[in-house]
Amino acid sequence: MRQLEHQIQALRRRRYRFLTFGELVAQVSSGGPARKIAAITFDDGYESTWTRAQRVLERLGARATVFVPTHFIDSGKPLRWPGIEEWSGTPHEHELRPLTLEQLRALSTAGWEVGSHTVSHPRLPTLADDRLADELARSKAWIEEQLDRPCETLAYPYGAYDERVIAAAEAAGYRAAGVLTGRLPAPRPLAWPRIGVFRVDRGVRFLLKSHPWSVWARSTGAWALLRPEKSS
């Protein structure tokens, strides 16, 4: 978590203010100030979001948003879906433990926003209409029932979405949804671009990745000039 602390402190030195994801989308969409604000988001609902990340953010006076696949919360079983199953049965399997309901409620009480990451973490564009609607509506209803507050934000699993998924999210009552793509699309409330920050994004790499110029380059396609494809 030292890396997370350094990253947040780096943004603070740039005088960024931290909002929840829903607050940021609402502020920018309504024409409010878009400069020097950031939303810290965590996907998947790993237990370490509470045991490690929350402690860092509390110490630094920052809030965040966690997007959870509701089927796994309080299950006591490791998170499991295509893309992370390789860690099952390894010495690192404990890292796949999900949040408990008590921990999720504690995050909400601490000022964190809890958004949906669907029920079971599927690739939404591959689902039939009825299951797509169920994944979105049932996860939203579960969060609202368990936390006794509205759930209006969503992160599409794998960052996968299309116009049908956006329409379904709107029909389910979501006001904002996060996407994660290589090239940043023009922001729309239900297709709001996020920048993925991963283990390799240390030091100067993080500073460059989070710099406003880099964000602009990725949104216009100019990033390809900086990071050309490898020759085949």
Side-chain angles (χ1 to χ4, degrees):
M1 286 294 108
R2 185 175 301 172
Q3 182 175 340
L4 173 62
E5 183 168 356
H6 289 167
Q7 290 166 345
I8 295 174
Q9 289 176 334
L11 292 174
R12 280 207 180 282
R13 286 193 293 271
R14 294 179 183 174
R15 299 185 180 180
Y16 274 85
R17 293 186 299 111
F18 297 106
L19 308 178
T20 66
F21 178 74
E23 290 170 346
L24 183 146
V25 174
Q27 177 170 311
V28 178
S29 298
S30 65
R35 289 177 56 83
K36 297 296 183 180
I37 57 174
I40 303 166
T41 64
F42 297 88
D43 287 2
D44 301 338
Y46 294 98
E47 186 183 52
S48 58
T49 307
W50 168 254
T51 59
R52 303 177 70 184
Q54 189 274 340
R55 297 177 185 179
V56 173
L57 268 67
E58 182 179 36
R59 186 165 63 251
L60 297 177
R63 296 176 298 144
T65 298
V66 57
F67 295 108
V68 298
T70 55
H71 170 76
F72 300 94
I73 299 300
D74 225 17
S75 68
K77 299 178 181 179
L79 298 171
R80 187 176 180 87
W81 52 74
I84 63 171
E85 76 284 351
E86 63 185 280
W87 302 109
S88 298
T90 73
H92 302 287
E93 186 177 58
H94 66 280
E95 296 286 354
L96 302 179
R97 284 198 297 260
L99 288 161
T100 67
L101 181 55
E102 181 181 2
Q103 290 167 341
L104 191 66
R105 286 171 172 161
L107 285 171
S108 179
T109 300
W112 282 46
E113 176 182 41
V114 177
S116 167
H117 206 34
T118 72
V119 175
S120 62
H121 201 280
R123 290 186 182 272
L124 295 177
T126 69
L127 303 184
D129 289 349
D130 56 349
R131 187 178 167 205
L132 171 61
D134 179 70
E135 286 279 347
L136 297 173
R138 189 151 51 96
S139 57
K140 183 178 189 294
W142 186 91
I143 292 170
E144 292 179 338
E145 178 181 356
Q146 298 298 329
L147 303 184
D148 194 27
R149 62 184 59 192
C151 172
E152 299 180 331
T153 60
L154 164 73
Y156 302 119
Y158 304 103
Y161 73 104
D162 55 22
E163 292 303 319
R164 183 176 68 98
V165 170
I166 291 174
E170 183 175 22
Y174 293 99
R175 295 180 179 272
V179 304
L180 194 60
T181 60
R183 177 173 174 175
L184 301 180
R188 294 185 285 166
L190 289 170
W192 202 269
R194 298 186 293 162
I195 297 173
V197 178
F198 306 104
R199 184 181 297 273
V200 297
D201 296 318
R202 300 173 182 272
V204 173
R205 183 184 175 99
F206 172 76
L207 294 176
L208 290 174
K209 194 171 191 178
S210 62
H211 194 279
W213 190 89
S214 296
V215 175
W216 171 84
R218 290 179 64 188
S219 67
T220 61
W223 189 261
L225 299 176
L226 304 176
R227 191 183 59 182
E229 296 295 329
K230 294 181 179 179
S231 300
S232 58

